[in-house]
Amino acid sequence: MFRINRRIVTILFGLLALAFAVGAILLFTPQAGQTQRGKPVLWVNGKAVYELDLLRLQGNDPLYAANPQGLLKALVDTYFLERVILTEALKQDVARVRVSAAEVRKEVDRLKEQLGLKDKKAYDQFLNQVGYTDAQLREEIKQNLRIQRRLQQIQDGVKPTPEEVQFYFTLYKDRYKGEAKVKARQIVVDEQAKALEALAKAKAGEDFAKLAQTYSKVGAAEGGALGADPGKSEPGPVTKVVFPEAVAREVFKLRGPGLVGPIEAGGRYYLVKVEEYIPPKEPAFEEVRAKVEEDAKKAKADGALEAYLEEIRSKAQVRFAETMGYQYKNPVVAVVEPEGGSKTELKLAQVLQPVFSNPQMAQLLQQGLGELAVQFFLPSTLDQMINREILVQEAKKTGKPFIGSKDEIAQAVQLWKTQDVSVTDEEVKDFYAKNPAQFTVPASAEVKVVTFKEEAKAKAFREAALKSGNLEALAKAQEGELTEHGAVNPGTLPAVVDRLVFRIKDTFPKGPAGEVSEVVKLEDGTFAVVIVNNRKAEVLRPLAEVYEEAKAMALAQKRAKAAQAWVEELRKKTKVENRLNQVLSELAPKQPSQEVAPKPPATPRKP
């Protein structure tokens, strides 16, 4: 409800996603008196955080819903408290940011509207439910608006230099590459006979523009010219988007002048004369300067926000109560010292953040697979962070103006290192041959499913559907439920229906409303009849049609392999001390057999 832009506040690695702070604290941390908040658990820069506040936050955390024990409990506690510390430090830092009463009132009104709180009684019930007074709610909203404003100030205060913008363009030039275009005319008619008649005349040499004026239902006044300026009849460059998908596929397959069609699409027939094919080109910097500047600013803002949150956390003075229901363990889990670089320590909480912020982790914990997930994800995540640190330091050594978060810089320096990699025509063909799924148009069909509780009624419906096309009436007569799935691809329907439509090669008997399947029993025990129309088999697009796509994919794959080899080479030259296994072993509860028995007291020596 009171959300900060996720791109702004979600730091890619090692830091807090502030949705936790803004959402959970807003609704679950009333500003009650100290006696109602329990004992202090920790202090951030001298300000106490109380046990009841933490319990409310914990109750809204899906990681705790799985009731983690042992080592998992220590890791979840550390992750949880680290977010609390950073949140409290951030709230303290933004305390001087000004927010007006009018802005708070606007947010309260928006909250009421979103939750359907139409009168004072409903609003008071809501306040009672979350444990707030009106004044406390407004103060919390004010606090969160301060956070939003502070983060926006950081973003707005960033401006990339001309050198940074130019270098950003050099690295990400492919992002600004234009699409292939054509200059073409088209004739669109409702009847296939008319389309064939126009085609015959065009092949006989008659002027296509005049034929379009005579036959076409679309753009006749312009002689069928696509992309023409208003009042003009000369075609302008257009991309695939102006054509129906099936038409575009054939038009751009030509890769040159030619005649295409007639092709049926959407109940109409298209005849297209391509006058010129314009291949995609790399734009000049000046042509896309505004967009590059915008993207570079976003990247630099990511880096500024990451640095801001890291500074807030590093300066926070934290003290814990001697006894508390949480374990906070944040030892160093790796020391990284690249060749010619500086030594960097990575702490446990930095590695836990990307692991536990993954929604899949909470699901795995609830399935009892938490320890297995930790054993897999923690080492691989730490390994990625070690590589990232090596790459960030390598980027600094180059002297190039890299910008962005640490993750963005790590990716960018790999692009820079592999910018001279290219692919041959044979490599493109080889990639196409080995990756047919990348270039296959999946099978499709228009599907309706009618379900019944009784098999006899399903059979009665099927017999009727083979003779009549009024499916709704037929379904109603047999107490069936009609569901229209529309145009679908394999894997999108319930399993039994999916197999019936896409795995069985034979078509069904045809009725007035389409193909009618046999009665099948579904997973939930009900019975169904499937109506299918407009079946289309999967099609492997020819290389000529997808050459540019295949080339881009082949190049990306080759660059990725080159980058991986470079990272491995850098890793060999880097001093890495990985302490993760040792740390996890120390944090794991000791089994009774592992505990060392206390030594008996020594017998005093006689003088």
Side-chain angles (χ1 to χ4, degrees), residues 528-586:
V529 176
V530 182
I531 311 298
V532 181
N533 284 285
N534 199 22
R535 286 182 186 265
K536 294 180 180 178
E538 71 174 23
V539 177
L540 177 62
R541 298 159 66 193
L543 178 58
E545 179 186 336
V546 298
Y547 186 86
E548 292 299 329
E549 294 176 46
K551 182 179 180 180
M553 292 180 184
L555 179 59
Q557 184 184 77
K558 190 172 181 180
R559 291 183 72 175
K561 290 180 178 178
Q564 182 180 359
W566 181 53
V567 172
E568 290 173 356
E569 180 185 339
L570 292 174
R571 185 74 178 256
K572 291 176 182 177
K573 300 177 181 178
T574 300
K575 294 179 181 178
V576 177
E577 183 183 350
N578 190 329
R579 306 175 185 172
L580 181 61
N581 289 336
Q582 176 187 341
V583 167
L584 294 180
S585 176
E586 292 171 353

Side-chain angles (χ1 to χ4, degrees), residues 79 91 125 140 218 310 449 473 600:
Y79 171 66
K91 291 173 73 174
Q125 288 176 341
E140 198 63 44
V218 178
E310 284 184 336
V449 179

Side-chain angles (χ1 to χ4, degrees), residues 492-505:
T492 58
L493 294 168
V496 172
V497 178
D498 188 80
R499 287 195 297 272
L500 196 65
V501 175
F502 293 110
R503 309 304 175 199
I504 297 176
K505 294 182 179 180

Side-chain angles (χ1 to χ4, degrees), residues 454-476:
E454 299 177 19
E455 185 177 13
K457 291 187 175 182
K459 289 181 176 179
F461 166 82
R462 180 180 183 274
E463 292 301 318
L466 288 169
K467 301 172 184 176
S468 172
N470 191 344
L471 296 180
E472 290 187 11
L474 297 177
K476 186 175 181 180

Side-chain angles (χ1 to χ4, degrees), residues 328 330-334 345-352 382 385:
Y328 181 81
N330 193 22
V332 173
V333 291
E345 294 181 342
L346 298 175
K347 292 193 170 184
L348 179 60
Q350 293 174 269
V351 188
L352 293 177
L382 177 58
M385 296 181 74

Side-chain angles (χ1 to χ4, degrees), residues 13 47 55 63 122-123 157 173 213 215 238 269 278 318 344 352 395 404 490 525 573:
F13 253 132
K47 185 175 180 180
L55 285 173
L63 295 175
Y123 179 58
K173 194 175 295 184
Q213 291 172 349
Y215 286 94
V238 295
Y269 295 86
I278 306 170
V318 183
T344 301
L352 293 177
K573 300 177 181 178

